[in-house]
């Protein structure tokens, strides 16, 4: 049985974009190709987390769970963990 790909959405709302979300869109430059092959990554206009006061930008959603303050290092770790699940 084939495993489903990890679904990833990177918030590109204004706060997220300027606080590092734009850098996360360069994922091809820093993600392991084997991890990348197991993920479907897309940018989205807004995850609406700033509105609810749910943490620090940039926000990333991985398989429906929201993460805040995501740096490139954290992004790599989160995706590696998600792929292993």
């Amino acid at each position: 049985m084939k495993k489903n790909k990890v679904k990833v959405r990177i918030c590109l709302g204004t706060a997220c974009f300027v606080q590092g979300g734009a850098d996360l869109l360069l994922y091809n430059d820093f993600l392991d190709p084997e991890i990348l092959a197991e993920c479907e990554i897309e940018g989205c206009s807004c995850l609406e987390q700033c509105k609810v006061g749910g943490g620090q930008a940039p926000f990333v959603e991985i398989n429906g769970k929201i993460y805040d303050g995501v740096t490139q290092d954290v992004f790599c770790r989160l995706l590696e963990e998600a792929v292993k699940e």
Side-chain angles (χ1 to χ4, degrees), residues 2-8 33-41 62-63 82-83:
K2 187 174 179 180
K3 184 177 164 185
N4 289 334
K5 288 195 174 198
V6 174
K7 306 269 191 229
V8 181
E34 290 179 21
I35 298 294
L36 189 57
E38 299 297 322
C39 299
E40 287 181 14
I41 304 173
I62 300 174
N63 286 338
V83 166

Side-chain angles (χ1 to χ4, degrees), residues 11-31:
C11 184
L12 298 177
T14 303
C16 289
F17 188 86
V18 299
Q19 292 190 40
D23 296 333
L24 297 178
L25 283 179
L26 301 173
Y27 56 82
N28 284 324
D29 294 341
F30 60 87
L31 276 178

Side-chain angles (χ1 to χ4, degrees), residues 30-78:
F30 60 87
L31 276 178
D32 180 323
E34 290 179 21
I35 298 294
L36 189 57
E38 299 297 322
C39 299
E40 287 181 14
I41 304 173
E42 66 181 13
C44 66
S45 60
C46 189
L47 290 173
E48 298 190 17
Q49 294 303 299
C50 295
K51 184 188 300 185
V52 297
Q56 169 96 21
F59 296 95
V60 173
E61 181 181 68
I62 300 174
N63 286 338
K65 184 173 179 185
I66 302 288
Y67 298 90
D68 71 299
V70 179
T71 63
Q72 287 182 353
D73 290 341
V74 170
F75 191 60
C76 291
R77 181 180 51 79
L78 290 170

